[in-house]
Amino acid sequence: MGRVWRAYDPDLEVTVAIKELKEQFRDQANLERFYREAQIAAIAAVRVGASCGDVDAAARQVLAGYKLDRHFTHSTGHGLGLEVHEDPRLARGQKARLEPGFVVTIEPGVYMAGVGGIRIEDDVAVLPGNTEVLTRIPRDLIEL
């Protein structure tokens, strides 16, 4: 969620624990660190011409290495624009290619039944020759 700017929708997400985190969540293969590693891998895969499926696969590969892929039950992200959820979908098997000027979210959520979950969402601009992470908020897990 975020503030609309000149008719364009942002989409940002952080993870907040509203009570003391269960030790199981804390100990679950250092979930926060592994999640962030998957997110960074997906962001690194974002570039002009990359397939949306390849961006998704980058996150899945990291999580699979930590045996967390079965807890990643949705797509890595989606396009942003005049609507908060637009094409392209960054998901398994998606053949669409990223083009200059696209803005996409990177949010590979991990959810463990009876334990909790984590999803931190970044907005990323696809630019000729590079990408830019537009998100300017802290990404650390917040404990209240």
Side-chain angles (χ1 to χ4, degrees):
M1 116 177 351
R3 184 167 183 234
V4 173
W5 183 76
R6 296 185 182 178
Y8 287 90
D9 272 308
D11 198 12
L12 306 170
E13 221 167 322
V14 296
T15 298
V16 176
I18 57 174
K19 60 183 180 179
E20 186 176 327
L21 289 175
K22 292 181 178 182
E23 286 303 312
Q24 184 180 4
F25 182 82
R26 217 184 273 291
D27 294 340
Q28 189 64 46
N30 201 347
L31 184 59
E32 183 182 7
R33 181 172 65 86
F34 296 152
Y35 173 86
R36 190 71 180 125
E37 190 177 318
Q39 189 180 36
I40 288 167
I43 290 169
V46 172
R47 64 185 175 283
V48 172
S51 81
C52 294
D54 287 347
V55 175
D56 182 79
R60 287 183 192 283
Q61 183 177 3
V62 170
L63 294 171
Y66 296 114
K67 301 192 180 350
L68 293 169
D69 50 322
R70 68 187 174 102
H71 301 292
F72 177 22
T73 57
H74 63 81
S75 64
T76 294
H78 55 83
L80 282 176
L82 297 174
E83 300 292 330
V84 74
H85 292 105
E86 291 189 352
D87 287 334
R89 275 191 70 225
L90 305 178
R92 277 186 210 206
Q94 295 295 307
K95 305 280 188 233
R97 302 233 171 240
L98 298 177
E99 297 179 22
F102 281 12
V103 176
V104 297
T105 67
I106 302 295
E107 51 176 308
V110 175
Y111 310 101
M112 304 175 81
V115 177
I118 186 168
R119 186 162 81 192
I120 301 167
E121 186 171 14
D122 283 334
D123 298 346
V124 180
V126 182
L127 305 170
N130 70 333
T131 59
E132 181 181 349
V133 176
L134 303 173
T135 307
R136 302 283 187 258
I137 60 173
R139 292 163 184 84
D140 298 330
L141 182 66
I142 300 167
E143 293 182 62
L144 301 177

